[in-house]
Amino acid sequence: MKKAGGLALCVAVLGVAVVLSLCAGNRWIGIGEVYRALTEFGGSDTDRVIRYLRLPRTLAGVLVGIALGLSGGVMQGVTRNPLADPGILGVNAGAAVAVVAAIGLFGVHSLNGYVWFAMGGALVATVVVYLVGAVGGTTPVKLALAGAAISALLGSITSAVTLLDLSTLNEYRFWVVGSLSLADQGIVAQAVPFVAVGTFLALMLGRSLNQLALGEDLARALGTRVMLVRSLAGLAVVVLAGTATAIAGPIGFLGLAVPHVARTIVGPDQRWILPWSMVLSPAVLLLADVVGRVAARPAELQVGIVTALVGAPLFIALVRRRRMASL
């Protein structure tokens, strides 16, 4: 009951973050005006700001947060690697280089086009990192090192492409820092089905990931189809991380830190870690976006910069608080 009550409290925090995201910005708009803009749209400047700028941005933050929190939790569970994260294991870098190729080589400029390239890049990077990290036996450290090396290689390719093409660089430089400011109603509508499918797959895997944590042999003895579970987990990660990267660019530390926070609170049961990560992650992302909007007014800090500034010390604190055991 305590875990369920805590999850309900997290939902309430997410609700507060949503309200703040709708109200805060270059100009504070009261809750009453926000409510009227959403229910009685009159075409005023305030109504347009709420309806066409802040609402899509908030919904995009919720979708990206859900996708990153769940993908990080699933990656840590299926690899039994406490350092697993779409950023550290090269998934975001693979999606990013594929999106750059889509912009520069194929002239793609919409999320509907980005998302397929992002998923393809994420899939290829995931397979390559796993194959490189599996040479001589898979360990968490080898996977992390393989991810860092592949990420550096893909980052170099991305830099080379953008430096050779000025128009691609102009579009890419706003996207790469991780931002929700470019989200609109069309992007949100296109992303919902992908995040829904990925979320369904991830939440379905909770019990199987618990059995995998006991070891492959015992998991098989309990009836778990190990290869099927790993394949579905990989598919969920690719869909979620690829969609999140296509919407907002690479956002680091969220998928790494939030599942650890959830694990610290609810213990090692993936059936609780995944729902908690799914709620905590968008709350943290929206609050970081609000801080970025109000801290440097009239300009703003991109949310990817804020999450990096907050996420790195938080993760170090988690590591220092208790020894990070293998999962």
Side-chain angles (χ1 to χ4, degrees):
M1 287 301 293
K2 290 183 179 178
K3 295 176 181 177
L7 185 59
L9 179 61
C10 291
V11 172
V13 172
L14 175 59
V16 171
V18 168
V19 172
L20 285 175
S21 181
L22 291 171
C23 294
N26 203 11
R27 180 175 71 87
W28 176 268
I29 299 175
I31 296 177
E33 289 182 275
V34 170
Y35 180 77
R36 280 192 296 273
L38 294 176
T39 58
E40 302 172 11
F41 183 76
S44 66
D45 289 344
T46 298
D47 290 353
R48 291 179 182 276
V49 167
I50 294 297
R51 180 70 67 91
Y52 298 122
L53 295 178
R54 294 190 185 178
L55 180 61
R57 183 171 185 160
T58 301
L59 294 177
V62 172
L63 293 175
V64 171
I66 289 173
L68 291 178
L70 280 177
S71 59
V74 170
M75 286 190 79
Q76 291 172 13
V78 75
T79 63
R80 300 169 64 189
N81 182 349
L83 298 177
D85 164 75
I88 288 181
L89 294 190
V91 179
N92 287 349
V97 75
V99 169
V100 168
I103 296 171
L105 301 179
F106 301 102
V108 178
H109 301 287
S110 67
L111 175 69
N112 201 30
Y114 284 173
V115 71
W116 297 107
F117 282 90
M119 287 184 191
L123 177 61
V124 172
T126 301
V127 172
V128 171
V129 168
Y130 183 79
L131 291 177
V132 172
V135 174
T138 305
T139 66
V141 174
K142 287 176 67 176
L143 278 176
L145 290 175
I150 298 300
S151 293
L153 173 63
L154 295 175
S156 299
I157 296 173
T158 300
S159 298
V161 172
T162 52
L163 289 175
L164 291 173
D165 187 335
L166 186 59
S167 62
T168 301
L169 175 62
N170 287 335
E171 188 166 345
Y172 175 73
R173 66 193 177 97
F174 290 104
W175 178 82
V176 71
V177 294
S179 174
L180 299 173
S181 61
L182 300 179
D184 59 25
Q185 293 173 330
I187 288 176
V188 171
Q190 291 168 19
V192 165
F194 295 103
V195 176
V197 170
T199 299
F200 175 76
L201 282 175
L203 294 179
M204 287 283 292
L205 293 171
R207 181 179 179 185
S208 298
L209 293 178
N210 281 345
Q211 293 173 341
L212 272 184
L214 302 174
E216 291 187 15
D217 293 338
L218 187 52
R220 288 193 179 93
L222 293 172
T224 302
R225 299 169 68 179
V226 175
M227 285 305 298
L228 178 62
V229 170
R230 286 181 169 166
S231 299
L232 292 176
L235 178 61
V237 169
V238 167
V239 171
L240 291 170
T243 305
T245 307
I247 295 173
I251 295 178
F253 286 105
L254 209 59
L256 177 66
V258 170
H260 278 292
V261 173
R263 189 174 295 106
T264 300
I265 299 172
V266 302
D269 190 341
Q270 291 287 343
R271 292 173 298 180
W272 284 104
I273 291 173
L274 294 177
W276 273 66
S277 299
M278 186 180 76
V279 178
L280 277 177
S281 183
V284 173
L285 184 65
L286 287 178
L287 292 175
D289 189 44
V290 169
V291 170
R293 276 188 265 173
V294 301
R297 286 188 294 184
E300 66 176 63
L301 289 175
Q302 306 301 330
V303 67
I305 297 174
V306 179
T307 56
L309 291 174
V310 176
L314 175 62
F315 186 68
I316 292 172
L318 285 171
V319 173
R320 289 178 59 85
R321 185 168 179 265
R322 68 176 191 175
R323 190 170 181 271
M324 190 174 294
S326 298
L327 302 179

